[in-house]
């Protein structure tokens, strides 16, 4: 729910904070971030069922494989968005949104970080770890950041990357602390 919120609330904020043209460009960027979410959701959901029923050793294997697959997906999409942004934008929308091309790769990074955070949240939830509840703070921080720093589409994408990356990093640090 938190991860989905991080991918959907942003467009409403963009509509409030940006002029209509920039908000439209941002909506395309957000849609292209969601491509990773749609591709990764089955993996994240299967991983959750494995996290619930597996022992600690198996959970670690599932977490490592799932993380590796998400990293590969994110790197692939980031490269595609960086190498062929105009083509991707034309396929998804129209040439009216080509101004997004120089920063399109940021959408892939953001989408990938949301997926990584969702996977790790599933891991913590499957273990019954209450620290996963801190994730509720991150969409609130995202909205606050977007309302304050909404000067451009790129700035809004960077806020999203910082928030999603912050959530993922927080979960990884907690995992590392548990491991020692």
């Amino acid at each position: 729910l938190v991860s989905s919120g991080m991918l959907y609330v942003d467009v409403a904020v963009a509509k409030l904070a940006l002029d209509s043209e920039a908000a439209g460009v941002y909506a395309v960027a957000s849609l292209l971030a969601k491509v990773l979410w749609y591709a990764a959701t089955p993996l994240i959901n299967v991983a959750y069922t494995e996290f619930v029923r597996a022992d600690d050793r198996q959970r670690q294997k599932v977490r490592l494989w799932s993380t590796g697959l998400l990293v590969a997906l994110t790197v692939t999409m980031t490269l595609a968005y960086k190498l062929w942004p105009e083509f991707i934008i034309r396929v998804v929308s129209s040439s009216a949104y080509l101004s997004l091309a120089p920063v399109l790769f940021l959408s892939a990074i953001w989408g990938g970080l949301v997926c990584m955070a969702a996977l790790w949240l599933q891991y913590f939830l499957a273990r019954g770890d209450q620290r996963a509840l801190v994730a509720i703070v991150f969409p609130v921080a995202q909205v606050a950041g977007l309302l304050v720093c909404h000067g451009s589409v790129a700035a809004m994408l960077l806020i999203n990357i910082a928030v999603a990356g912050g959530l993922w990093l927080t979960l990884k640090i907690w995992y590392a602390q548990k491991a020692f």
Side-chain angles (χ1 to χ4, degrees), residues 44-91:
I44 294 166
N45 290 340
V46 168
Y48 178 74
T49 61
E50 292 299 315
F51 291 152
V52 168
R53 67 184 184 139
D55 61 24
D56 282 342
R57 188 168 163 262
Q58 286 296 96
R59 279 187 195 132
Q60 184 172 354
K61 276 186 181 178
V62 171
R63 187 184 46 76
L64 288 172
W65 275 101
S66 300
T67 299
L69 287 171
L70 288 178
V71 167
L73 177 63
T74 301
V75 168
T76 300
M77 294 300 287
T78 301
L79 286 172
Y81 285 12
K82 184 71 175 167
L83 295 173
W84 305 291
E86 292 89 1
F87 173 75
I88 292 167
I89 292 167
R90 283 189 178 110
V91 166

Side-chain angles (χ1 to χ4, degrees), residues 10 39 48 53 61 63 80 90 94 96 103 106 112 116 119 144:
D10 63 305
Y48 178 74
R53 67 184 184 139
K61 276 186 181 178
R63 187 184 46 76
R90 283 189 178 110
S94 74
V103 296
L106 295 174
M116 296 298 284
L119 175 71

Side-chain angles (χ1 to χ4, degrees), residues 18-173:
L18 299 172
D19 63 73
S20 61
E21 182 179 329
V25 170
Y26 182 83
V28 172
S30 183
L31 173 67
L32 288 165
K34 290 176 185 78
V35 168
L36 272 102
W37 177 251
Y38 299 141
T41 297
L43 171 68
I44 294 166
N45 290 340
V46 168
Y48 178 74
T49 61
E50 292 299 315
F51 291 152
V52 168
R53 67 184 184 139
D55 61 24
D56 282 342
R57 188 168 163 262
Q58 286 296 96
R59 279 187 195 132
Q60 184 172 354
K61 276 186 181 178
V62 171
R63 187 184 46 76
L64 288 172
W65 275 101
S66 300
T67 299
L69 287 171
L70 288 178
V71 167
L73 177 63
T74 301
V75 168
T76 300
M77 294 300 287
T78 301
L79 286 172
Y81 285 12
K82 184 71 175 167
L83 295 173
W84 305 291
E86 292 89 1
F87 173 75
I88 292 167
I89 292 167
R90 283 189 178 110
V91 166
V92 175
S93 59
S94 74
S95 59
Y97 300 102
L98 287 177
S99 63
L100 175 63
V103 296
L104 182 60
F105 72 98
L106 295 174
S107 292
I109 295 169
W110 170 38
L113 286 170
V114 169
C115 292
M116 296 298 284
L119 175 71
W120 282 71
L121 270 173
Q122 297 284 39
Y123 177 79
F124 275 86
L125 290 171
R127 295 180 55 238
D129 194 322
Q130 298 298 316
R131 292 180 294 180
L133 294 174
V134 77
I136 295 167
V137 171
F138 285 86
V140 174
Q142 178 190 22
V143 169
L146 292 174
L147 286 172
V148 171
C149 301
H150 59 271
S152 68
V153 170
M156 292 183 77
L157 289 171
L158 290 171
I159 293 293
N160 291 332
I161 288 170
V163 172
L167 175 55
W168 183 44
L169 188 59
T170 298
L171 295 169
K172 285 189 62 75
I173 289 169

